[in-house]
Amino acid sequence: MLIDTHCHLDAAEFDADRDEVAARARAAGVGVIVVPGVERAGFAALLATCERYPGCVPALGIHPMYVDSAVPEDFAVLREMIVLHHPVAIGEIGLDFFVPDYDRERQEFYFSEQLKIAREFDLPVLLHIRRAQDTVLKFLRLAKVNGGIAHAFNGSRQQAEEFIKLGFKLGFGGAMTYDRATKLRELAATLPLDSIVLETDAPDIPPAFIGKERNSPEYLPRIAETLAELRGIGLDQVIEATTANARAILKGLA
């Protein structure tokens, strides 16, 4: 069984055929799909999606690209949702310094407050990190949360090692399947296998073998095959290791 540790199955891109997408993923051997939240307004739909499809589990949080529409009262709602619905993680949270005209102070406020909530409930975090690896690491060292996943990891080896030291797994997905992603593929091939989890980030980050089509969780087995090829090991070993890694960091999956 494979675990997709990051898939936005609740996204509007799946509205027309979500039942079929979920069924194809399950038929392909994807037994668990972690569905991360991005804003308070979407929590209800996300939770309904997870209730509808076997193997889907929620994470709840406010994404850095949605902080402009967030208000501090959202933290109380998040706490209430945690108590009622027991998400496996707080996420998707983090920092995004890639988007134009970002409000760094506002992003850092919402990130910091959600790290406090993660620590309060002893939950891991699902991290969004673009052009902000070192700043995110700084916040994590201060917050001392219970680990988590650095989603769509694309940092340096030194940064990877720092995340691992802090108790984090690194999420590898579609970006790893591109031949031109030489640094990322080298990391996937050589980092400790027990530090890696698999993800699709569907409907985003489509892997090389589907071109610019909508990404989907059913493609996770082929992403796993890429990791096996890069490391020169069997697919069964990749599936066993990455599933164990996901369960180790997202203890709510047990």
Side-chain angles (χ1 to χ4, degrees), residues 32-126:
V32 176
I33 296 174
V34 180
V35 186
V38 296
E39 61 176 336
R40 170 186 170 181
F43 288 174
L46 185 155
L47 291 166
T49 297
C50 290
E51 289 176 6
R52 181 177 178 88
Y53 302 108
C56 288
V57 295
L60 294 173
I62 301 168
H63 190 291
M65 292 178 68
Y66 287 78
V67 298
D68 286 349
S69 60
V71 293
E73 288 76 15
D74 291 352
F75 300 135
V77 174
L78 178 55
R79 286 184 169 92
E80 181 181 357
M81 293 294 101
I82 293 168
V83 171
L84 290 174
H85 298 285
H86 310 290
V88 296
I90 302 301
E92 179 177 354
I93 67 173
L95 300 173
D96 193 317
F97 297 161
F98 175 78
V99 294
D101 303 319
Y102 65 85
D103 186 334
R104 178 171 182 146
E105 184 176 354
R106 189 174 180 87
Q107 282 197 29
E108 291 185 350
F109 168 72
Y110 279 91
F111 182 39
S112 177
E113 291 301 309
Q114 290 182 99
L115 289 175
K116 293 175 185 176
I117 292 172
R119 189 175 61 203
E120 176 184 338
F121 287 93
D122 196 26
L123 285 170
V125 295
L126 303 183

Side-chain angles (χ1 to χ4, degrees), residues 109-183:
F109 168 72
Y110 279 91
F111 182 39
S112 177
E113 291 301 309
Q114 290 182 99
L115 289 175
K116 293 175 185 176
I117 292 172
R119 189 175 61 203
E120 176 184 338
F121 287 93
D122 196 26
L123 285 170
V125 295
L126 303 183
L127 294 173
H128 176 99
I129 314 166
R130 276 205 305 181
R131 303 277 177 91
Q133 304 275 351
D134 290 333
T135 306
V136 166
L137 284 165
K138 180 187 73 173
F139 275 87
L140 294 176
R141 293 186 187 103
L142 293 171
K144 295 181 171 59
V145 295
N146 190 20
I149 296 172
H151 152 61
F153 184 77
N154 194 25
S156 67
R157 175 169 296 276
Q158 181 180 9
Q159 289 164 336
E161 291 170 351
E162 289 302 310
F163 278 107
I164 294 168
K165 286 178 187 176
L166 291 171
F168 281 76
K169 307 298 183 185
L170 308 177
F172 284 82
M176 171 182 65
T177 64
Y178 289 86
D179 290 340
R180 66 178 182 272
T182 53
K183 291 182 180 178

